[in-house]
């Protein structure tokens, strides 16, 4: 007889191979066609809400692996909350304004000069088209990752309603009294001809001069300081080109300064270091308190202008001379000390980084005409030459220096008239400053990881006023009118509201295409010919920083609640989006726009090196999808520790694909084993091994679910994978093959195991659904009715924890016995004494397994007999807890159907199999 026909072999339509590359796009297209996002909203209509507010990627270029990481992580978290029964909102968005897009348009046109031939309206139209093109491209690329979001209703910062709300946010900040216009040094990109904010600054190495310069004290200063003979204050600078704009020298008020025998004045604490450097050689002849120098003057050796000696705590003793060259137009500290002492702000540098006519008008340099039009970085050598003997020591060194994030050119500090949000101003109606309100909100925010709190907190504590104006074409205009005669800015509420209404109807392009008369509301008291338009645009960080208002608070999107439950971005956004959003929300509403912040690291190759085309180590999302499919990329995200940098490479993805196959095939065998199960066996009728695996699954799933709830996916997946490989698949599914294949279809043992697998599969399906949604949906599609219940697809499923069950199975003891037994089995197989463990019996008088049934132990160890009998021809033995366990060959014959050594003679089926076959023959 062919006994194979009598076996109950696993049956399922769920394929072993996922063929993800071919099949994913088909299923994703069906999700979109069937409006799965709409279905998710409908399914949780009255449930508790969860809002993830999407940080907008830049609509410029194709998505890279960092984009994929970010969007997949967001999708996993949104789905975690969805499959836990919450009503979720995920409205994707794009940042559409700003310098990078304008640069791309310049490239298309063939350079800045050709762009300048076009009108602002024409440039803006081209920028809008460029951004729109890449919004479409990126949206399709994100969909391919299995990300479910409100793709039909995204927010774009260039949409007219959105632009109007950005502008309204600006007006609200002004109404709170926090918007100020003043001349102040800011980071200036001479290559891009615009001011930059802190978040747009990158640091790269740069070679600079290190120069010590002697500023001779005026005769009056020498008398008042009680000095006879020559005396020159020695300053140190790395920017010789700023010396023409010097108007002061800062000393530390708490330090002692010394005059040397060769006539130089430096801080006493710096004297030894300067002698060692060879700046001068003289001995100390006089000690003078810093306060005696306050409000005296030294002479700038370049131009003979007076340099005001002032006192400032910013002067440090770590390097230099303790006497700081101060040019209020070229530095933040210089500017602040200049305000205190009313120092003149001299600014001889134009927007292109070249000296302008100021050097001539103010006589800042000898033969000043020759310097007009000279780039400042090319002026260092001529200036050093002009200093002559006043330059005591000149050398070069390399250091980290601020560069423009787009052009990668060195920045300068340049005083210009700009718009600022006053961080230390007090919003109208509040008693605390904006900084203090923001700090209080940071204290209330939940951080993942917690280290983000200190990072954001220190940035809030130390940040200067926010320069929000830019001198470019493509952005939301700072759409204010100025009275020509007085320079007064019109902040009349009716005027501002009318402009916002026009922007909502026609976009901010109206500021450039419409006349002042058209932009004033009918019956306005202001006369158009007496007004002029402010020409600056808003910093792009203001755009994205106001999305809480334009998206969450407006009624233009079904995007969830304000404040949002969670913001998720890369760790660099502590200085970017997290901070700009925080300051705008606290300025206007006095609360943070988020309840929690999650940050992730950056993607690197498997050696931990940054990806670059030149290294050839770039992993593009498109290539991953073509080779592996999005499920592998999603699993990589979940199995990576996002709190640091995330390594990705071909090898890493191959390992991830292996993990996926194990998980997929574990589900497949469970589905196959559920064939014919119509009802779940109650715990009271279950066998101990079945109760053990269900109890173990509950323990693992509950812990995994808890970790997922803390967004700790890497640890959660680690525990889940261990359970699947080592206990569920590696032990339980393997050891229950005999009862599943060889028992009668309705035996309680078989139904008990089927029930255990159904309970585990149902719970585990809801657990993995947020991460492997495609696979979970495919599993569901091929699942039997016992798993599906009343649900139609995976999106009708809600995760449910396994009901508690107690098992008398002594897992700890049996693990040790199994390990010791397998060590001996390995040797017996190598020596070809046996082929498999069913040939063996184990005998022991130990009571270590007294709570467990003999049949369960035999099944767990996959042996034919466990007894306390005497054995002949012992093949091996091991000890545990003082008792001996002997191993020998089974004495009975091998059953040709189940292969257990339970038959009375060769080729005869065992009693269990005889009974099953009889029932099978009757059924047939």
């Amino acid at each position: 007889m062919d006994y194979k026909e009598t076996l109950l072999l696993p049956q399922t339509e769920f394929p072993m191979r996922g063929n993800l590359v071919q099949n994913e796009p088909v299923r994703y297209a069906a999700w979109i066609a069937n409006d799965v996002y709409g279905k998710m909203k409908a399914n949780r209509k009255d449930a508790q809400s969860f809002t993830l507010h999407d940080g907008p990627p830049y609509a410029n270029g194709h998505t890279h692996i960092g984009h994929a990481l970010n969007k997949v992580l967001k999708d996993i978290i949104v789905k975690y909350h969805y499959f836990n029964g919450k009503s979720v909102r995920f409205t994707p968005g794009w940042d559409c304004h700003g310098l990078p897009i304008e640069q791309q348009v310049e490239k298309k046109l063939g350079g800045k000069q050709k762009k300048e031939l076009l009108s602002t309206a024409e440039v803006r139209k081209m920028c809008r088209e460029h951004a729109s093109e890449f919004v479409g491209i990126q949206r399709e690329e994100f969909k391919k990752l299995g990300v479910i979001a409100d793709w039909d209703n995204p927010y774009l910062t260039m949409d007219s309603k959105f632009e109007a709300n950005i502008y309204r946010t600006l007006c609200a900040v002004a109404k709170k009294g926090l918007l100020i216009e003043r001349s102040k040094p800011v980071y200036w990109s001479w290559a891009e001809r615009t001011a930059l904010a802190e978040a747009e600054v990158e640091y790269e190495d740069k070679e600079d001069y290190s120069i010590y310069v002697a500023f001779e004290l005026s005769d009056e200063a020498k008398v008042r300081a009680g000095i006879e003979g020559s005396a020159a204050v020695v300053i140190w600078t790395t920017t010789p080109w700023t010396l023409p704009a010097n108007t002061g020298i800062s000393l530390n008020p708490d330090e002692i300064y010394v005059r040397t025998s060769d006539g130089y004045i430096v801080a006493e604490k710096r004297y030894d270091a300067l002698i060692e450097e060879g700046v001068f050689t003289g001995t100390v002849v006089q000690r003078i308190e810093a306060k005696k120098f306050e409000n005296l003057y030294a002479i700038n050796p370049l131009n003979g202008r007076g340099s005001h000696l002032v006192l400032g705590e910013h002067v440090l003793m770590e390097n230099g001379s303790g006497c700081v060259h101060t040019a209020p137009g070229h530095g933040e500290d210089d500017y602040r000390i200049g305000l205190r002492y009313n120092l003149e702000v001299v600014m001889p540098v134009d927007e292109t980084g070249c000296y302008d006519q100021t050097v001539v008008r103010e006589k800042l340099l000898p033969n000043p005409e020759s310097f007009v039009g000279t780039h400042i970085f090319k002026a260092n050598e001529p200036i050093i030459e002009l200093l002559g003997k006043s330059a005591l020591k000149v050398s070069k060194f390399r250091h980290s220096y601020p560069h423009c994030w787009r052009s990668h050119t060195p920045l300068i500090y340049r005083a210009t008239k700009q718009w600022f949000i006053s961080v230390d101003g007090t919003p109208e109606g509040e008693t605390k400053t904006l900084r203090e309100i923001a700090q209080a909100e940071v204290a209330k925010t939940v951080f993942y990881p917690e280290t983000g709190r200190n990072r954001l907190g220190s940035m809030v504590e130390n940040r200067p006023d926010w320069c929000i104006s830019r001198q470019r074409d493509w952005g939301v205009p700072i759409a204010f009118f100025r009275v020509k005669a007085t320079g007064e800015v019109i902040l009349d509420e009716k005027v501002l509201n009318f402009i916002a209404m026009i922007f909502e109807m026609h976009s901010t392009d109206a500021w450039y295409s419409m006349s002042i008369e058209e932009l004033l509301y009918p019956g306005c008291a202001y006369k158009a010919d007496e007004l002029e338009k402010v020409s600056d645009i808003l910093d792009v960080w203001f755009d994205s920083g106001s999305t809480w208002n334009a998206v969450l608070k407006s009624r233009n999107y079904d995007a969830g609640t304000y404040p949002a439950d969670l913001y998720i971005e890369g760790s660099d956004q502590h200085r970017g989006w997290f901070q700009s959003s925080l300051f705008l929300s606290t300025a206007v509403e006095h609360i943070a726009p988020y309840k929690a912040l999650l940050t992730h690291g950056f993607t690197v190759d498997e050696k931990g090196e940054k990806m670059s085309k030149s290294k050839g180590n770039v992993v593009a999302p498109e290539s991953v999808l073509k080779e592996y499919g999005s499920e592998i990329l999603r699993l990589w995200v979940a199995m990576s520790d996002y709190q640091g940098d995330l390594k990705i490479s071909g090898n890493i993805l191959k390992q991830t694909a292996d993990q996926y196959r194990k998980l997929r095939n574990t589900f497949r065998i469970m589905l196959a084993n559920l064939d014919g199960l119509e009802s779940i066996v109650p715990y009271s009728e279950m066998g101990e091994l079945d109760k053990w695996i269900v109890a173990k699954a509950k323990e693992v799933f509950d812990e995994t679910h808890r970790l997922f709830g803390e967004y700790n996916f890497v640890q959660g997946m680690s525990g889940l994978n261990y359970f699947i490989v080592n206990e569920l698949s590696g032990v339980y599914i393997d050891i229950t093959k005999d009862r599943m294949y060889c028992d009668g279809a309705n035996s309680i043992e078989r139904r008990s195991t089927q029930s255990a697998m159904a309970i585990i599969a149902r719970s585990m399906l809801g657990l993995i659904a947020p991460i492997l949604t495609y696979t979970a949906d495919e599993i569901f599609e091929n699942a039997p009715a016992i798993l599906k219940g009343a649900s139609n697809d995976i999106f009708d499923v809600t995760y449910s924890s396994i009901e508690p069950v107690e098992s008398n199975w002594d897992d700890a003891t049996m693990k040790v016995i199994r390990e010791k037994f397998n060590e001996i089995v390995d040797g017996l197989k190598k020596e070809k004494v046996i082929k498999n463990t069913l040939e063996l019996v184990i005998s022991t008088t130990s009571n270590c397994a007294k709570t467990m049934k003999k049949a369960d132990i035999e099944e767990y160890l996959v042996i034919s007999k466990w007894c306390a009998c005497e054995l002949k021809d012992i093949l091996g033995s091991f000890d545990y807890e003082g008792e001996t366990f002997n191993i020998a060959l089974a004495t009975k014959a091998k059953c040709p159907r189940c292969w257990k050594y339970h038959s009375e003679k060769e080729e005869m089926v065992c009693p269990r199999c005889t009974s099953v076959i009889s029932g099978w023959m009757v059924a047939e």
Side-chain angles (χ1 to χ4, degrees):
M1 183 177 182
D2 185 359
Y3 294 114
K4 188 178 179 182
E5 292 180 18
T6 71
L7 298 177
L8 295 168
L9 297 175
Q11 290 186 48
T12 181
E13 295 294 316
F14 183 60
M16 182 182 292
R17 292 185 179 278
N19 290 325
L20 301 176
V21 175
Q22 292 77 32
N23 294 338
E24 282 175 348
V26 177
R27 189 171 295 267
Y28 291 163
W31 287 356
I32 292 165
N34 296 325
D35 188 18
V36 160
Y37 184 75
K39 174 178 179 167
M40 289 167 69
K41 289 199 293 184
N43 280 357
R44 307 282 192 263
K45 189 179 176 185
D46 300 316
Q48 180 187 349
S49 71
F50 174 81
T51 299
L52 182 137
H53 183 43
D54 189 27
Y58 211 69
N60 189 28
H62 288 268
T63 56
H64 53 66
I65 200 69
H67 287 128
L69 158 67
N70 179 267
K71 273 293 191 289
V72 167
L73 185 57
K74 288 173 180 174
D75 185 62
I76 289 171
I77 287 173
V78 168
K79 285 175 182 167
Y80 168 82
H81 288 282
Y82 174 77
F83 285 111
N84 278 278
K86 289 185 182 175
S87 174
V88 298
R89 293 295 183 273
F90 185 10
T91 298
W94 275 271
D95 224 340
C96 303
H97 295 126
L99 178 59
I101 288 169
E102 210 168 328
Q103 281 183 321
Q104 290 303 314
V105 167
E106 281 176 4
K107 279 184 188 175
K108 285 179 186 176
L109 290 168
K112 281 190 180 75
Q113 292 77 14
K114 291 190 178 178
K115 192 195 86 168
E116 286 167 1
L117 297 174
L118 301 179
S119 68
T120 300
E122 288 172 314
V123 172
R124 288 174 65 87
K125 182 174 181 287
M126 291 181 72
C127 288
R128 196 177 290 280
E129 288 168 354
H130 179 89
S132 183
E133 177 190 354
F134 280 100
V135 165
I137 288 169
Q138 291 186 8
R139 174 163 38 192
E140 293 310 307
E141 290 173 345
F142 285 138
K143 286 179 184 178
K144 290 176 183 177
L145 299 171
V147 175
I148 296 175
D150 197 356
W151 294 116
D152 291 336
N153 304 290
Y155 73 82
L156 310 181
T157 59
M158 66 180 180
D159 283 350
S160 58
K161 286 183 179 179
F162 201 108
E163 288 184 327
N165 280 324
I166 294 171
Y167 177 67
R168 288 186 179 110
T169 306
L170 173 68
C171 296
V173 172
K175 191 176 178 183
K176 291 286 183 177
L178 297 171
L179 189 64
I180 54 176
E181 187 185 22
R182 65 167 184 255
S183 185
K184 180 180 183 290
V186 292
Y187 280 120
W188 185 268
S189 173
W190 47 268
E192 299 300 336
R193 303 185 190 183
T194 186
L196 297 181
E198 291 276 342
E200 297 171 308
V201 177
E202 294 180 347
Y203 285 82
E204 299 175 21
D205 281 352
K206 179 178 182 289
E207 185 177 68
D208 270 321
Y209 280 97
S210 167
I211 176 170
Y212 290 92
V213 183
F215 279 56
E216 187 75 23
L217 282 179
S218 69
D219 291 341
E220 184 186 351
K222 290 176 188 176
V223 171
R224 288 176 61 186
I227 295 172
E228 294 181 5
S230 66
V233 178
V234 178
I235 65 95
W236 174 66
T237 184
T238 60
T239 54
W241 62 267
T242 64
L243 287 170
N246 172 281
T247 56
I249 297 172
S250 300
L251 311 180
N252 188 303
D254 301 319
E255 296 295 332
I256 299 294
Y257 285 77
V258 296
R259 184 171 70 92
T260 66
S261 56
D262 42 4
Y264 299 115
I265 296 169
V266 296
E268 185 174 40
K269 286 180 180 173
R270 295 299 302 156
Y271 171 78
D272 289 340
L274 296 177
I275 287 286
E276 197 172 315
E277 277 191 62
V279 177
F280 47 72
T281 57
T283 56
V284 173
V285 296
Q286 191 174 1
R287 297 173 77 248
I288 307 166
E289 287 184 2
K291 290 174 184 176
K292 284 195 175 181
F293 289 109
E294 188 176 18
N295 292 321
L296 303 184
Y297 282 84
I299 308 300
N300 187 333
L302 270 180
N303 52 32
R305 292 164 63 97
S307 187
H308 192 158
L309 272 61
V310 297
L311 303 180
E313 290 77 11
H314 68 285
V315 179
L316 304 176
M317 297 294 124
E318 278 75 30
N319 51 34
S321 63
C323 310
V324 175
H325 151 56
T326 301
H330 288 304
E332 183 71 29
D333 288 333
D334 302 41
Y335 177 74
R336 286 178 181 170
I337 199 75
L339 285 178
R340 192 191 307 169
Y341 284 93
N342 198 28
L343 299 183
E344 184 185 0
V345 178
V346 177
M347 179 40 57
V349 181
D350 69 15
E351 62 179 11
T352 66
C354 296
Y355 286 123
D356 62 17
Q357 285 295 330
T358 308
V359 293
V360 178
R361 187 174 63 251
E362 300 294 332
K363 299 176 182 174
L364 300 181
L365 285 160
N367 190 20
E369 292 84 0
S370 65
F371 282 89
V372 175
T374 301
H375 196 280
I376 50 171
F377 292 152
K378 291 182 179 176
N380 283 324
E381 287 81 3
I383 285 173
I384 290 169
E385 195 174 326
L386 287 170
L387 285 168
K389 291 182 180 178
S390 294
L392 303 182
K393 183 178 180 185
V394 178
S395 59
K396 283 187 174 182
F397 73 114
R398 290 193 72 79
H399 65 143
S400 183
Y401 188 87
H403 282 65
C404 175
W405 68 318
R406 284 296 164 185
S407 62
H408 299 287
T409 50
L411 298 174
I412 59 174
Y413 257 112
R414 178 173 179 261
T416 57
K417 205 164 192 181
Q418 300 288 345
W419 293 90
F420 295 87
I421 292 177
S422 174
V423 176
D424 291 310
T426 303
E428 191 175 300
E430 282 290 309
T431 55
K432 292 179 179 176
T433 67
L434 177 56
R435 190 191 305 276
E436 288 167 342
I437 297 169
Q439 286 174 316
E441 289 302 297
V442 169
K444 294 177 191 173
T445 303
V446 177
F447 285 82
Y448 304 95
E450 176 61 27
T451 51
R453 185 184 308 281
N454 289 337
R455 190 165 181 191
L456 182 57
S458 65
M459 288 178 175
V460 169
E461 182 182 353
N462 296 308
R463 78 154 296 145
D465 288 346
W466 179 7
C467 176
I468 61 167
S469 48
R470 297 291 179 272
Q471 292 67 49
R472 303 292 297 190
D473 293 327
W474 179 229
V476 173
I478 299 178
F480 297 142
F481 294 122
R482 196 191 302 277
V483 178
K484 290 178 187 176
T486 63
E488 176 199 356
V489 173
I490 305 299
L491 294 175
D492 181 285
E493 197 164 346
K494 282 186 179 179
V495 172
L496 302 182
N497 286 344
F498 189 72
I499 292 170
M501 186 184 73
I502 287 173
F503 287 174
E504 191 158 320
M505 291 189 294
H506 303 292
S507 87
T508 55
D509 291 345
W511 188 247
Y512 304 94
S513 62
M514 293 172 69
S515 67
I516 293 177
E517 193 171 11
E518 291 172 299
L519 291 164
L520 290 170
Y521 66 88
C524 179
Y526 297 100
K527 294 180 180 177
D529 59 355
E530 294 177 356
L531 304 177
E532 62 184 4
K533 296 177 184 178
V534 169
S535 61
D536 297 332
I537 64 165
L538 282 168
D539 170 18
V540 72
W541 291 103
F542 192 102
D543 286 20
S544 58
S546 59
T547 56
W548 56 269
N549 192 16
V551 179
L552 299 180
K553 277 185 70 69
S554 77
R555 296 183 181 179
N556 298 332
Y557 307 89
D558 182 12
T561 58
Y562 168 82
D565 292 289
L566 186 64
Y567 277 30
I568 302 174
E569 294 304 325
S571 53
D572 58 329
Q573 293 307 317
H574 287 114
R575 68 197 290 257
W577 189 53
F578 294 158
Q579 199 177 149
S580 63
S581 301
L582 174 66
F583 275 111
L584 289 181
S585 182
T586 50
V588 177
E589 300 292 339
H590 310 157
I591 60 169
Y594 37 69
K595 296 174 186 175
L597 288 178
L598 183 149
T599 51
H600 58 76
F602 300 100
T603 51
V604 294
D605 70 11
E606 60 187 331
K607 294 177 184 174
E609 293 181 3
K610 189 177 177 181
M611 292 186 188
S612 70
K613 288 179 181 176
S614 59
K615 288 181 183 174
N617 62 351
V618 173
V619 177
E622 186 184 2
S623 64
V624 178
L625 299 189
K626 280 182 180 175
E627 188 171 355
Y628 295 99
S630 66
E631 289 287 79
I632 306 307
L633 190 62
R634 294 176 67 89
L635 189 57
W636 165 76
V637 171
M639 290 173 61
S640 300
D641 184 0
Y642 63 75
Q643 293 191 11
D645 286 343
L646 294 83
K647 293 181 179 179
I648 187 168
S649 66
N651 287 332
I652 290 168
L653 289 167
K654 205 174 287 181
Q655 291 164 18
T656 307
D658 287 342
Q659 293 278 9
Y660 172 80
R661 275 189 287 274
K662 287 172 187 172
L663 192 147
R664 182 183 180 91
N665 286 327
T666 300
F667 264 108
R668 183 173 183 273
I669 193 64
M670 286 195 292
L671 291 186
N673 281 338
L674 296 184
D675 185 43
L677 181 67
E678 293 178 356
S679 62
I680 302 291
V681 171
Y683 285 159
S684 58
E685 296 175 26
M686 271 192 183
E688 289 304 320
L689 272 174
D690 303 318
K691 288 193 281 189
W692 160 71
I693 197 64
V694 171
K696 189 69 187 173
K698 176 177 174 54
E699 177 190 326
V700 171
F701 293 178
D702 284 355
E703 176 63 4
T704 300
H705 188 255
R706 184 189 70 79
L707 289 166
F708 282 5
E710 295 173 356
Y711 310 136
N712 187 348
F713 299 105
V714 63
Q715 240 182 302
M717 283 305 300
S718 176
L720 182 62
N721 280 330
Y722 183 87
F723 167 72
I724 289 168
V725 172
N726 294 287
E727 288 158 325
L728 178 59
S729 178
V731 176
Y732 180 73
I733 290 174
D734 188 50
I735 65 176
T736 54
K737 280 179 184 174
D738 175 72
R739 65 168 75 166
M740 290 305 303
Y741 298 177
C742 302
D743 271 12
N746 292 309
S747 78
I748 185 60
E749 291 84 5
R750 188 172 187 277
R751 289 295 187 218
S752 174
T753 294
Q754 283 185 303
S755 297
M757 290 188 187
I759 290 166
I760 291 167
R762 189 158 55 194
S763 187
M764 193 160 81
L765 192 59
L767 200 59
I768 66 144
I771 298 165
L772 300 172
T773 319
Y774 165 89
T775 304
D777 197 32
E778 189 189 4
I779 290 166
F780 188 92
E781 190 179 312
N782 290 280
I786 194 75
L787 283 190
K788 286 184 176 181
S791 301
N792 295 312
D793 57 38
I794 193 64
F795 300 102
D796 290 333
V797 170
T798 303
Y799 171 76
S800 58
S801 177
I802 294 171
E803 290 293 319
V805 58
E806 287 187 12
S807 169
N808 291 322
W809 182 256
D810 189 346
D811 188 35
T813 295
M814 291 311 300
K815 259 187 184 170
V816 176
I817 290 173
R818 184 183 170 96
E819 285 169 8
K820 289 177 176 285
F821 171 59
N822 283 338
E823 284 175 17
I824 293 170
V825 166
D826 287 343
L828 294 174
K829 284 181 177 179
K830 280 178 186 173
E831 293 165 13
K832 298 187 177 176
V833 176
I834 62 167
K835 288 183 179 178
N836 68 63
T837 54
L838 285 172
E839 298 173 47
L840 301 175
V841 298
I842 297 178
S843 175
T844 181
T845 56
S846 171
N847 287 324
C848 66
K850 62 185 176 182
T851 61
M852 295 171 282
K853 288 182 182 178
K854 201 167 65 126
D856 287 339
I857 296 172
E858 289 169 357
E859 197 164 35
Y860 181 76
L861 297 173
V862 198
I863 58 175
S864 285
K865 190 175 183 182
W866 172 276
C867 63
C869 53
E870 211 171 301
L871 301 179
K872 293 179 181 178
D873 302 324
I874 293 170
L875 299 175
S877 62
F878 61 88
D879 293 329
Y880 177 66
E881 291 189 346
E883 297 288 346
T884 300
F885 296 75
N886 292 319
I887 302 166
L889 289 171
T891 53
K892 287 198 171 185
K894 177 182 178 181
C895 172
R897 182 173 179 271
C898 70
W899 298 359
K900 283 188 175 180
Y901 286 72
H902 286 177
S903 296
E904 294 303 322
K905 57 185 179 180
E906 293 293 328
E907 300 305 317
M908 179 185 284
V909 293
C910 66
R912 186 267 305 260
C913 288
T914 300
S915 173
V916 173
I917 291 169
S918 299
W920 176 79
M921 291 177 76
V922 169
E924 285 291 300

